Structures are given as structure tokens and as C-alpha cells.
Amino acid sequence: MSTAVITGTTSGIGYSFSELLAKKGYNLILVSRNIDKLKKQQCMLERKYNIKCDFLAKDLSNIGEAEEVVSYIVEKKLKIDLLINNAGFNECGNFLDTNIEQELKIINLHNLVLTYLTKKFAQIMSQQRSGKILNLGSTGSFAPFPYDAVYAASKAYVLNFSSAIGSEVKRYGVTVSTLCPGATKTMFAEKANIDKTLLFRYFVMSPDKVVKLALKGLKKNKRIIIPGIYNKLLVMSMRI
């Protein structure tokens, strides 16, 4: 059986990834902060899909706890077939008024920690001569977004970094892809206080739909996966 590591798994896109991969027969290692939610998720997935599901309660905004995730994989000598770097959050608003501590955490989690995990798992997978890494970008990866400046910039890094690394590691049988969803029906928008905006009222995809399209893209070894026709048109218009 294949094994996937998923970060940010207790809600939204990460939760959908855990369920749809379990349905496909993957064993899972879930990484998130809330131990109570992780325990419930583990019990549900093992009971419903008859797979092995472990979890690590870690706050990945702390690089030390990201290092502990890698140490766990190495010490257990686990073969990891898929890493999904999904953990993330947002801080929206006028840059003069937004919370700098939160913005620095965004950069730390979306860029520093994602880079660390991508490097470590790419090294493990290159030795295996197989493996897939999926990093979470955004339609915001393709253009600067006023009033969402730090988040969009951090996701631009994810896209460019992942595309470059993908070129380097493909000769080892490893693929690196970036999933760039648009508005998705999760707690993400509510936490960022943007759930009432036009984008999140009319152009919203379900997490399951996003994940199904992501898994199709992964199967085809796509470098950039933009789910949904509206999101594809949005990205195309930004490029124009």
C-alpha cells in the first residue's frame, strides 16, 4: 500500500485529501495542530476505509516541529509515496493595518517550512527513485493582490519554487506539483474575514471537487494544477 503525508488535515482541502486518499487505499500520516480533531479523524478513516492512519500533532509554523515530522519518518524508515504541503492560513486587509506577527507566520509557514519539508522529502524520495510532492499554491500565485499582499506573494514563491525544483528532481523519479485553487468552501475564508466578498459568494468550489481534480493532475504528473474552468480563465486573464 502507498503512504501519504498530509499537513493541515483537520478541515477543508487537507481533510478532503485525507478522505479521498484513504478511499483509494493509501495509508496516511496526518500532521496538524489539534490533537482532538486528529484523533477523531484517525478513528474515522481507519474504521471507514480499513487503512492505517497515524498522526503527528505539530504546529508547523515552528520549524523545530517540522523537523520532528521528518525525524519521525526517518526513524520509522517509512517509504513515503506522496507529500501534500497543505498547511496554511491568511491575513487580509490594508497592509498598513494588518497584523505583522500573523504575516510573518504566513511567510514562515508557506515559504520557510514548506521549503524545508520539500527538500527533506525530495531527498528521501530521490533515494527511493519514486515519489510525488504537491505544494499548495493559489490563483493568487499568478499576480500581486492588493489587500492580500503577503498571502499572494507567499503563494507566488510556492509556485516558482515548486516549478524549479520539479525540473531538478524529475530525473530521480520524483515529481513536484503546485495546486492553485481559487475560492473554496472551507473555513479558510471565514478565518481571514473574506467569506462575504464577491469571490467567495459566487465562484466557490467544494474541497472534494478541488481534490479530485488535483489527484487527476498528480496522476498525469502535471507541474501546475488549476482546478475548475473559472479559475483557469481567471489565471489566463491575469497573464493577459
Side-chain angles (χ1 to χ4, degrees), residues 88-93 98 102 106 147-148 151 186-197 200:
F89 68 100
N90 200 356
E91 170 78 6
C92 290
T98 48
Q102 290 297 96
I106 287 172
Y147 302 100
D148 208 3
Y151 176 83
T186 68
M187 294 298 293
F188 175 88
E190 185 177 333
K191 289 177 181 177
N193 199 30
I194 55 175
D195 53 314
K196 303 292 192 240
T197 60
F200 279 88

Side-chain angles (χ1 to χ4, degrees), residues 87-170:
F89 68 100
N90 200 356
E91 170 78 6
C92 290
N94 188 315
F95 183 69
L96 299 179
D97 302 322
T98 48
N99 186 311
I100 184 62
E101 285 78 16
Q102 290 297 96
E103 288 166 334
L104 292 177
K105 283 183 179 180
I106 287 172
I107 295 168
N108 190 54
L109 179 58
H110 293 184
N111 301 154
L112 182 96
V113 170
L114 179 138
T115 300
Y116 174 80
L117 290 175
T118 300
K119 177 180 279 289
K120 292 300 181 180
F121 277 88
Q123 289 172 338
I124 292 168
M125 290 174 177
S126 66
Q127 292 174 355
Q128 299 171 174
R129 295 283 164 169
S130 67
K132 294 180 184 294
I133 296 172
L134 180 67
N135 290 331
L136 259 290
S138 164
T139 50
S141 297
F142 296 91
F145 273 71
Y147 302 100
D148 208 3
V150 173
Y151 176 83
S154 75
K155 292 301 187 179
Y157 173 89
V158 172
L159 176 60
N160 287 287
F161 165 74
S162 301
S163 296
I165 299 306
S167 295
E168 294 184 27
V169 300
K170 64 180 180 180

Side-chain angles (χ1 to χ4, degrees), residues 191-211:
K191 289 177 181 177
N193 199 30
I194 55 175
D195 53 314
K196 303 292 192 240
T197 60
L198 181 66
L199 180 66
F200 279 88
R201 277 188 288 168
Y202 297 109
F203 306 109
V204 184
M205 293 181 71
S206 72
D208 282 355
K209 182 65 174 176
V210 169
V211 170

